[in-house]
Amino acid sequence: MANAAAKKAAAAKKSAASTYFPIVAILNLLYLLLRVIYQRDYLTKFHGAMALFLVGLSIFSYKGVLEDHANSAGVAKDKALPGGASLDLLGLTVLVQYGSLASNHFYYLLVLIPLYGGYKLYTTFFGKGGGLAGTMPKNDVVESTSGGDGNADSDLVNSKKQKRAERRRQKWS
């Protein structure tokens, strides 16, 4: 079973690579080409370093997208788009890359990256409601506020598992 999961993850990663690599490569090459052609006279060490930093950031986010696709390959389909925060980072990087061709003020958008990271870290430990809500399982919160024993959800899950197991037994017999 573990080998099947690894094969599924590798297939998902390969599929994502075939989709995203041409896009990221074209965006970066076009950015560097436009940077050299249109701003050759204004190209300083700072601009060169920022251009390399932004290209590196887009490569980092590309690798994050691939890993997220590989990690979500075995998980049931969710409404969330595979790629998650790495796709957000890629979008912000592309916005800063092409915006910086017009104005140097677009570099200030890079400040959003550590601010967003800090927000995610805060909500991981303290939750959105304050206190230590982020560290408590959601079922415990529901049980304590509803006054119920919480067994209705676990009974439903167990019955679904039993039905699934019964279907498998019928299929193989």
Side-chain angles (χ1 to χ4, degrees):
M1 268 323 231
N3 196 17
K7 286 181 182 178
K8 190 181 282 188
K13 196 172 186 178
K14 185 177 179 182
S15 172
S18 68
T19 301
Y20 288 105
F21 180 74
I23 295 170
V24 172
I26 289 171
L27 286 172
N28 283 326
L29 290 175
L30 185 64
Y31 166 69
L32 291 174
L33 185 69
L34 290 174
R35 172 67 76 184
V36 169
I37 290 174
Y38 290 112
Q39 295 188 339
R40 180 177 295 182
D41 297 336
Y42 306 110
L43 198 60
T44 63
K45 288 181 184 180
F46 171 76
H47 288 109
M50 286 304 290
L52 291 177
F53 174 73
L54 289 171
V55 169
L57 197 58
S58 67
I59 292 170
F60 175 75
S61 62
Y62 166 73
K63 288 183 178 185
V65 168
L66 294 184
E67 287 301 315
D68 193 56
H69 273 273
N71 292 340
S72 66
V75 181
K77 293 294 179 188
D78 202 8
K79 289 185 178 182
L81 183 65
S86 297
L87 274 178
D88 295 341
L89 178 62
L90 182 62
L92 180 65
T93 304
V94 169
L95 176 71
V96 172
Q97 280 179 336
Y98 287 96
S100 67
L101 293 173
S103 171
N104 287 337
H105 296 293
F106 274 90
Y107 291 129
Y108 293 123
L109 286 175
L110 292 176
V111 173
L112 293 176
I113 296 170
L115 288 177
Y116 182 72
Y119 167 74
K120 293 301 276 185
L121 187 65
Y122 177 80
T123 58
T124 298
F125 290 109
F126 297 111
K128 292 181 182 174
L132 290 176
T135 59
M136 294 177 56
K138 292 184 180 178
N139 287 340
D140 291 346
V141 174
V142 171
E143 289 175 13
S144 64
T145 58
S146 65
D149 57 0
N151 288 335
D153 289 337
S154 62
D155 291 341
L156 180 66
V157 170
N158 287 335
S159 68
K160 285 184 179 182
K161 285 181 182 179
Q162 288 174 352
K163 287 179 185 178
R164 195 175 318 127
E166 182 64 32
R167 278 184 272 167
R168 284 191 200 123
R169 281 193 292 270
Q170 289 175 355
K171 179 180 176 182
W172 293 106
S173 59

